[in-house]
Amino acid sequence: MYLHQDFHKIGLGTAMLRYLLELAREENLHRIGLHVVADNKIAIRLYTKLGFKTEGVMRGSYFGADGKYHDEIVMGLTLALH
Ligand SMILES: CC(C)(COP(=O)(O)OP(=O)(O)OC[C@H]1O[C@@H](n2cnc3c(N)ncnc32)[C@H](O)[C@@H]1OP(=O)(O)O)[C@@H](O)C(=O)NCCC(=O)NCCS
């Protein structure tokens, strides 16, 4: 999910992800998974708030624009138990 920087932290990410989860449930999807750079506190806060759980850490798996390697967190949300 990428929002223009002028529109961060005003609730749009939450609204978009809530809607995505609603669609996923309507489609009877089993699970949604994602990777997020460990430094990205806002995104991790958003995913955690909407029920995603941390499932692991991929150490040094993301090469950033800063020329350094960053950890990525693996997160997942199980929607339906089938
Ligand atoms: C990540 C992104 C989609 C989130 O969307 P958003 O509209 O900015 O997020 P929201 O405003 O809906 O929610 C942000 C939450 O982070 C919290 N937050 C803000 N600054 C924070 C910080 N420094 N540390 C921790 N949490 C923070 C807010 O309080 C809010 O939580 P709350 O609802 O409990 O108060 C958006 O910021 C974005 O596009 N970022 C750049 C691209 C990106 O990083 N995408 C994710 C790739 S995995």
Side-chain angles (χ1 to χ4, degrees), residues 19-31:
Y19 184 56
L20 179 95
L21 295 180
E22 204 178 296
L23 293 178
R25 288 195 171 95
E26 276 172 25
E27 292 296 324
N28 213 20
L29 293 190
H30 173 63
R31 165 196 154 84

Side-chain angles (χ1 to χ4, degrees), residues 1-3 7-14 35-36 40-43 45-47 49:
M1 259 168 58
Y2 282 80
L3 288 167
F7 300 98
H8 288 181
K9 299 193 213 171
I10 54 169
L12 286 177
T14 302
H35 297 172
V36 55
N40 193 343
K41 303 300 179 207
I42 300 176
R45 166 75 197 136
L46 168 59
Y47 301 139
K49 182 174 71 173

Side-chain angles (χ1 to χ4, degrees), residues 43-71:
I44 292 169
R45 166 75 197 136
L46 168 59
Y47 301 139
T48 303
K49 182 174 71 173
L50 294 194
F52 285 78
K53 304 287 184 210
T54 297
E55 298 174 336
V57 179
M58 296 163 64
R59 294 195 300 146
S61 65
Y62 178 79
F63 186 69
D66 59 1
K68 295 180 183 162
Y69 290 96
H70 298 260
D71 293 349

